[in-house]
Amino acid sequence: MGEAAAYCVRLLRRYDPDRLATLTFVPPPRAALLALYAFNADIARLRDAVREPLVRELRLKWWREAVAGAAAQRVQPKPEVRLLREGLAQGRLAESAMQRLIDGWSRDFAAAADTLADAERRGGDTAGLLLEAVLGALGVSEPAAQAAAHHIGTAWALLELVRAVPSDARLGRCRLPLDLLRDHGLSAAAVAAGTRG
């Protein structure tokens, strides 16, 4: 395993071990998917790593430029961008898919999910688009498969939202849809505080 791939594995072990585990089911070569997952994990972790929205947007701008540079085959020192460049050169990754994913994360960071429909849309714009890009990297382009991947990715995002409730509460926040909380007599403030009031 090269230095860039090893870096991506370390990043995923820390921030997205579940997706890293899915790579064991993918036939070699896996470098393009490893880079795609590391790219996604690096962006997703901005929610917790960066509190200032402007700084977060600057980081997303950096990623937009890095992906465009990788597509143009410009040299980039960041390990996951080097692997992305290889995946783009091989035709396994599409710049447009990665730019759409960055845009999806930007929308996800921008506002709370007031309704379940909001949460589903945001999940589709992030994990749904990611899984579509994964299928593309594996050479699967049939519309029905892409649609199924989008739905599965959206479901994954909703499960991650629920699974994150304890860690979100430790950070004093709640990202669950407000309409569902109201339906069950809960408030975002109560969930963020770890109480039932």
Side-chain angles (χ1 to χ4, degrees):
M1 180 182 299
E3 174 196 341
Y7 171 86
C8 291
V9 167
R10 288 194 302 273
L11 183 75
L12 289 169
R13 273 197 191 116
R14 182 168 182 190
Y15 296 108
D16 200 350
D18 292 338
R19 284 193 179 92
L20 177 62
T22 67
L23 289 177
T24 60
F25 300 101
V26 176
R30 300 181 182 102
L33 289 185
L34 182 62
L36 184 61
Y37 282 161
F39 155 77
N40 182 71
D42 194 60
I43 293 172
R45 72 188 182 101
L46 293 176
R47 177 188 318 285
D48 297 333
V50 179
R51 294 291 181 176
E52 290 296 322
L54 179 59
V55 176
R56 203 180 286 145
E57 278 304 314
L58 286 172
R59 183 69 178 156
L60 291 175
K61 181 178 184 294
W62 181 91
W63 265 115
R64 286 184 184 96
E65 292 170 358
V67 168
Q73 294 301 299
R74 288 195 292 272
V75 175
Q76 169 56 247
K78 197 163 173 55
E80 64 266 45
V81 182
R82 289 200 309 265
L83 285 184
L84 285 175
R85 189 180 66 183
E86 291 173 22
L88 287 158
Q90 297 162 358
R92 298 194 69 196
L93 298 175
E95 179 190 1
S96 60
M98 288 183 283
Q99 295 290 1
R100 286 174 56 213
L101 189 54
I102 294 169
D103 291 341
W105 278 112
S106 180
R107 288 188 297 274
D108 185 70
F109 294 150
D114 291 332
T115 66
L116 178 57
D118 292 337
E120 288 174 345
R121 188 168 33 259
R122 291 163 66 161
D125 285 349
T126 54
L129 289 177
L130 176 64
L131 202 49
E132 285 182 47
V134 167
L135 280 192
L138 295 172
V140 179
S141 59
E142 290 83 4
Q146 287 285 327
H150 189 86
H151 289 301
I152 292 167
T154 300
W156 181 311
L158 294 175
L159 286 171
E160 285 182 329
L161 196 62
V162 172
R163 196 166 74 170
V165 167
S167 59
D168 280 345
R170 284 192 292 278
L171 294 169
R173 70 180 177 208
C174 173
R175 294 185 292 132
L176 295 175
L178 300 179
D179 62 343
L180 290 183
L181 293 175
R182 281 192 300 271
D183 289 349
H184 294 281
L186 296 168
S187 70
V191 174
T195 63
R196 291 190 52 83

